[in-house]
Amino acid sequence: MQATVHEFDHDSGEGSVLTDNGRVLPFSHTVFAASELRHLRVGQRVSIEVGSSGVSRLWIVGIGSGQRIR
């Protein structure tokens, strides 16, 4: 699923995304750390997987282990 970064705190590594259907979903510093990304900016497009407590995986296609730009 695609989403847009809604909020991001670089110091804590926590933030939220806005899905294409208008839902705001939080992500934890653990999810951000696992993404292998160093920074996110508000308005940036990302791919996500959603779990019971919000975003469970966050990535940008082409960045990170096993990712290929298509």
Side-chain angles (χ1 to χ4, degrees), residues 5 8 10 18-19 22 24-25 27-29 31-32 35 38 40 47-48 50-52 54 56-57 62-63 65 69-70:
V5 176
F8 179 67
H10 192 279
L18 179 64
T19 65
V24 175
L25 300 172
F27 61 87
S28 67
H29 68 281
V31 170
F32 176 68
S35 74
R38 291 190 265 170
L40 291 172
S47 295
I48 61 169
V50 180
S52 59
S56 59
R57 184 173 172 232
I63 298 177
S65 299
I69 297 175
R70 299 178 211 183

Side-chain angles (χ1 to χ4, degrees), residues 11-49:
D11 293 329
S12 69
E14 296 180 342
S16 63
V17 296
L18 179 64
T19 65
D20 291 347
N21 65 357
R23 288 178 58 199
V24 175
L25 300 172
F27 61 87
S28 67
H29 68 281
T30 306
V31 170
F32 176 68
S35 74
E36 301 181 13
L37 299 171
R38 291 190 265 170
H39 183 72
L40 291 172
R41 63 176 169 70
V42 172
Q44 186 171 13
R45 294 291 285 172
V46 293
S47 295
I48 61 169
E49 286 180 6

